[in-house]
């Protein structure tokens, strides 16, 4: 079941269990007899006492849940701190805070009061549809966390109904119902895409092998009537995908190259190639990883999940663009038949690679992923990958690192990320970083020995872009987080789904 979102005044029906009210510090500060009523005099007094005691100061994302004990028409009021003019991300965060507060009191039906004084500025700046989308996304994203696989399976907390209720006078200024409804639907579709990506990423490695990932992709393609190719190890051999095959050869679970075609703009000559790293589990291979934290490497297909989540949303939005989604997927295992340091492999592009570290496997499968996208007609490329631990050293869990060969495409990606609230930060591409990949044994080696690993890893992939505009997004620090924040739960975040959708949905 899904949350239903409605815009408009309540028309009879069931009374919500809670009223959500975004409140600014200025509104809360007003005191004395002349103060405007916020809700009702006793409730206002309680709220202001929280303010003077510095318990609730209406700071962004701060919440205060007050039971109304019959003093007001609904049993609870959830106040959410908001700074007017905070933009889409501020709204998304406020909605996420509200959703978490509602969950804490197990309230499943809520009404959100829309006030011109609080969100009017944002509507003027960004448009009512974008505001509706951001609020919807915030409610949905905050609650979509990992569902543990237990003997007794518990259902994830579901917010059943959210009504956006315009205050008097709001509709005339900011409230075209159709525009709000459009934004709500878009927010639901996009949040669904993120939820899909999170669920896939949270699947354990024993459930999600490359073949199983291909099965999920087939299901997705069939549901949306999209053309899909699942290339098995035999066809991959015929097509010369030596990179994918080398990384996958150590595992009993064979690799796959998944290609999904979405043609929403048949007249356009442009086709986005979206390539997602799909390592279903990364042990490091013969260059074995250390044990602590290795379980997190179930998320090494977070790039693949982001691409699939974006394809799902783009298909549901019926966006007028062309996409080729490519997912090279393999399990990186050590074994007697695994690839090993010193091996020289021939990628699909013809370029050879000296393997110096089998743990730098993502870039090798992505090399064949880029070539696959190009051979099938992609004209610009974006790859998404949990590529390096180094990006985490640079940007922490805060931002996705980006590497490019094309400043124009990079600025489009950054703009999209500013809209989505998923932070992206460009990394430098100094000539010395390219040099670090020089090999005596092959065209290039798969890892440099020096620092600057996130840039170097990105540049390796760029070698296979054949001069097409290309951006690489390293989600090594953002695909999986240790504790929840804002609209992101603990575990898989589904990061980059929204940025990819924002980037591609209007652009040809
Ligand atoms: N999947 C890892 C990168 C990673 C590590 C992402 C931790 C998120 C959290 C990748 O395949 C890897 O192991 N990269 C190596 C590259 C190195 C050997 C050049 C790394 O970053 O250590
Ligand atoms: Zn690795
Ligand atoms: Zn990896």
């Amino acid at each position: 079941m899904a949350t239903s979102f409605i815009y408009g005044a309540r028309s009879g029906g069931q009374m919500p269990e809670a009223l959500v009210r975004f409140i600014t510090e200025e509104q809360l500060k007003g005191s004395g007899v002349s103060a405007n009523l916020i809700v009702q005099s006793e409730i206002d007094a309680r709220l202001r006492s929280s303010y003077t005691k510095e318990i609730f100061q209406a700071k962004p994302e701060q919440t205060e849940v007050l039971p109304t004990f019959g003093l007001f028409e609904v049993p609870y009021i959830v106040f959410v701190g908001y700074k007017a003019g905070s933009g889409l991300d501020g709204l998304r965060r406020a909605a996420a805070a509200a959703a978490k507060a509602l969950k804490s009191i197990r309230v499943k039906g809520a009404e959100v009061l829309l006030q011109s004084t609080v969100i009017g500025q944002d509507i003027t700046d960004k448009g009512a549809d974008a505001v509706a989308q951001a609020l919807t996304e915030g409610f949905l994203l905050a609650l979509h966390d990992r569902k543990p696989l237990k003997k007794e399976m518990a259902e994830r907390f579901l917010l059943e109904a959210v009504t956006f209720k315009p205050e008097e006078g709001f509709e005339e200024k900011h409230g075209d119902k159709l525009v709000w409804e459009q934004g709500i639907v878009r927010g639901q579709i996009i949040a669904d895409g993120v939820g899909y990506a999170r669920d896939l990423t949270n699947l354990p490695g024993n459930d999600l092998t490359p073949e199983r990932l291909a099965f999920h992709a087939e299901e997705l393609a069939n549901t949306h009537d999209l053309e899909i190719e699942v290339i098995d190890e035999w066809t991959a051999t015929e097509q010369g995908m030596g990179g994918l095959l080398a990384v996958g050869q150590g595992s009993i679970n064979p690799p796959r190259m998944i290609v999904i075609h979405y043609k929403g703009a048949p007249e356009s000559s442009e086709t986005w190639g979206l390539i997602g790293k799909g390592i279903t589990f990364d042990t490091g291979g013969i260059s074995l990883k250390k044990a602590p934290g290795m379980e997190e490497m179930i998320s090494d297909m977070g790039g693949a999940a982001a691409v699939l989540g974006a394809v799902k949303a783009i298909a549901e939005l019926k966006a007028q663009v062309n996409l080729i989604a490519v997912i090279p997927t393999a399990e990186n295992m050590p074994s007697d038949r695994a690839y090993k340091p010193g091996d020289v492999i021939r990628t699909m592009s013809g370029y050879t690679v000296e393997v110096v570290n089998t743990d730098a496997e993502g870039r090798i499968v992505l090399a064949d992923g880029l070539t696959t996208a190009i051979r099938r007609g992609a004209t610009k490329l974006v790859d998404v990958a949990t590529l390096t631990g180094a990006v985490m050293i640079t940007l922490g869990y805060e931002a996705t690192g980006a590497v490019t060969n094309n400043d124009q495409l990079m600025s489009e990606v950054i703009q999209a990320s500013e809209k989505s609230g998923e932070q992206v930060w460009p990394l430098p591409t100094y000539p010395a970083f390219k040099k670090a990949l020089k090999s005596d044994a092959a065209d290039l080696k798969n890892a440099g020995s020096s620092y600057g690993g996130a840039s170097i890893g990105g540049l390796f992939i760029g070698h296979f872009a054949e001069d097409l505009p290309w951006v690489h997004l390293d989600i090594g620090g953002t695909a999986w987080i240790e504790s929840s924040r804002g609209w992101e739960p603990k575990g898989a975040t589904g990061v980059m789904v929204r940025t990819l959708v924002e980037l591609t949905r209007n652009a040809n």
Side-chain angles (χ1 to χ4, degrees):
M1 225 182 76
T3 313
S4 80
F5 287 87
I6 296 166
Y7 172 85
R10 195 187 319 136
S11 56
Q14 232 185 331
M15 203 57 146
E17 296 165 80
L19 173 72
V20 173
R21 191 148 162 181
F22 294 174
I23 183 168
T24 65
E25 209 176 335
E26 291 71 38
Q27 284 179 319
L28 188 55
K29 253 195 239 158
S31 60
V33 275
S34 64
N36 291 329
L37 265 192
I38 294 177
V39 182
Q40 182 273 350
S41 54
E42 273 101 336
I43 298 172
D44 284 16
R46 176 63 208 278
L47 191 63
R48 293 223 160 91
S49 121
S50 269
Y51 180 72
T52 21
K53 289 185 192 148
E54 300 188 6
I55 299 168
F56 176 69
Q57 304 236 298
K59 299 274 185 247
E61 296 176 69
Q62 220 186 3
T63 55
E64 172 91 331
V65 177
L66 293 185
T68 59
F69 299 116
L71 295 168
F72 192 66
E73 53 186 346
V74 293
Y76 289 99
I77 304 186
V78 175
F79 291 97
V80 183
Y82 188 70
K83 195 171 174 321
S86 294
L88 299 178
D89 203 47
L91 289 163
R92 210 177 280 116
R93 284 170 184 279
K100 287 192 256 189
L102 292 170
K103 181 180 175 186
S104 75
I105 49 173
R106 301 267 133 194
V107 161
K108 298 191 158 191
E111 191 168 79
V112 182
L113 185 67
L114 303 177
Q115 295 178 289
S116 299
T117 41
V118 183
I119 62 168
Q121 185 62 48
D122 294 312
I123 296 175
T124 310
D125 293 348
K126 311 285 178 188
D129 59 330
V131 167
Q133 179 189 337
L135 289 173
T136 307
E137 287 175 354
F139 276 103
L140 294 174
L141 292 174
L143 300 177
H144 196 109
D145 53 4
R146 185 173 188 180
K147 232 174 109 177
L149 299 161
K150 293 191 180 183
K151 182 176 178 189
E152 305 285 343
M153 291 290 288
E155 280 308 306
R156 190 182 275 139
F157 173 76
L158 176 75
L159 200 54
E160 286 167 9
V162 175
T163 307
F164 295 118
K165 184 185 151 191
E167 68 171 359
E168 249 185 68
F170 180 92
E171 271 187 291
E172 291 74 49
K173 274 193 248 163
H174 307 294
D176 186 334
K177 192 171 164 67
L178 274 177
V179 176
W180 269 82
E181 283 172 352
Q182 266 172 11
I184 289 172
V185 169
R186 203 192 303 141
Q188 282 175 310
I189 289 176
I190 294 174
D192 261 8
V194 177
Y196 174 85
R198 286 179 185 170
D199 288 346
L200 263 187
T201 308
N202 281 326
L203 287 176
N206 57 339
D207 187 356
L208 194 73
T209 59
E211 283 171 291
R212 291 282 302 156
L213 183 57
F215 171 80
H216 285 285
E218 274 174 335
E219 236 181 20
L220 180 71
N222 292 340
T223 308
H224 297 97
D225 215 8
L226 307 178
E227 189 191 323
I228 179 167
E229 308 166 58
V230 175
I231 296 168
D232 64 14
E233 64 272 43
W234 313 113
T235 311
T237 308
E238 276 169 25
Q239 297 195 8
M241 297 177 179
L244 177 71
L245 291 163
V247 171
Q249 77 191 33
S251 171
I252 187 90
N253 299 306
R256 293 286 179 264
M257 184 70 80
I258 305 166
V259 186
I260 301 181
H261 301 257
Y262 172 81
K263 294 192 188 85
E267 269 85 65
S268 165
S269 57
E270 295 287 343
T271 298
W272 291 93
L274 304 182
I275 305 105
K277 172 177 172 181
I279 298 298
T280 56
F281 194 75
D282 183 10
T283 64
I286 296 295
S287 316
L288 194 63
K289 285 184 183 296
K290 292 197 195 75
M294 201 203 279
E295 67 279 5
E296 254 183 50
M297 285 297 112
I298 64 169
S299 64
D300 212 19
M301 36 56 69
V307 167
L308 289 175
V311 167
K312 175 173 151 68
I314 287 288
E316 287 173 18
L317 291 168
K318 301 192 168 54
Q320 291 175 12
V321 289
N322 300 319
L323 300 182
I324 294 177
V326 178
I327 290 159
T329 173
E331 189 175 56
N332 189 19
M333 293 290 276
S335 77
D336 59 339
R337 55 181 191 170
Y339 82 136
K340 52 197 177 295
D343 284 2
V344 174
I345 57 190
R346 186 175 293 276
T347 63
M348 191 181 180
S349 64
Y351 288 120
T352 56
V353 175
E354 178 192 6
V355 178
V356 295
N357 191 320
T358 63
D359 198 10
E361 81 298 336
R363 59 199 72 182
I364 300 178
V365 301
L366 285 165
D368 285 350
L370 263 67
T371 306
T372 301
I374 295 167
R375 300 256 171 104
R376 280 163 181 69
T379 55
K380 45 194 169 181
L381 307 167
V382 179
D383 78 79
V384 188
T386 45
L387 200 78
T388 66
V391 75
M392 229 185 306
I393 310 284
T394 321
L395 302 173
Y397 298 118
E398 302 311 311
T400 293
V403 175
T404 192
N405 62 3
N406 185 294
D407 291 340
Q408 168 63 30
L409 186 58
M410 177 68 97
S411 76
E412 286 174 33
V413 171
I414 302 281
Q415 273 175 32
S417 85
E418 280 166 359
K419 278 199 184 157
S420 72
E422 299 178 322
Q423 304 188 112
V424 171
W425 195 260
L427 301 171
T429 53
Y430 303 124
F433 289 151
K434 265 186 207 155
K435 261 206 209 145
L437 292 167
K438 282 215 157 120
S439 163
D440 294 334
D443 287 311
L444 64 174
K445 56 184 178 184
N446 77 328
S449 49
S450 48
Y451 293 126
S455 290
I456 295 173
L459 285 170
F460 179 97
I461 299 169
H463 193 84
F464 298 85
E466 295 185 14
D467 295 327
L468 290 178
W470 153 82
V471 169
H472 155 71
L473 296 168
D474 191 340
I475 55 172
T478 49
W480 184 274
I481 54 177
E482 290 294 317
S483 51
S484 78
R485 61 178 179 198
W487 32 265
E488 291 175 304
K490 184 178 164 173
T493 59
V495 74
M496 289 301 118
V497 169
R498 290 186 303 109
T499 298
L500 289 180
V501 173
E502 202 50 60
L503 175 69
T504 57
R505 77 183 170 96
N506 291 321
N508 272 309

